[in-house]
Amino acid sequence: MELIKNPDRFGIDDPLVACWGDGPYHATVYCNNKAKVWGDPGRFASWDGMHMTEKAYNVIAEGVLKGPFANQPLLQNCSN
């Protein structure tokens, strides 16, 4: 939820808009020649409205490993 509530904290522009597709949220066209990539995928949380981008997966992984998405970050647990 933190990624959705505070996207700018993680370098995401609008977490509800996909990077690839068409329509107001860029997620209404299935894989065909009408769909297009909108800007830098590194600024989006969703690739096509269903799949997350590499950026979103990175934010989640870092949050679990280093905090704040785990109550004690995983790397801290493993080092003790």
Side-chain angles (χ1 to χ4, degrees):
M1 282 306 296
E2 192 64 28
L3 180 65
I4 303 300
K5 290 183 347 185
N6 297 304
D8 54 329
R9 177 178 170 199
F10 304 103
I12 303 291
D13 291 330
D14 184 341
L16 301 179
V17 175
C19 177
W20 180 88
D22 201 6
Y25 295 99
H26 307 161
T28 58
V29 174
Y30 295 99
C31 187
N32 64 32
N33 62 355
K34 294 180 183 179
K36 65 180 184 176
V37 175
W38 297 86
D40 177 10
R43 303 287 305 170
F44 291 84
S46 174
W47 173 251
D48 59 3
M50 181 179 290
H51 302 94
M52 291 188 293
T53 59
E54 182 177 343
K55 172 69 173 187
Y57 283 121
N58 185 45
V59 167
I60 293 166
E62 289 288 318
V64 170
L65 292 172
K66 299 178 182 176
F69 299 156
N71 186 5
Q72 196 165 18
L74 187 60
L75 290 179
Q76 191 174 357
N77 283 330
C78 293
S79 66
N80 292 334

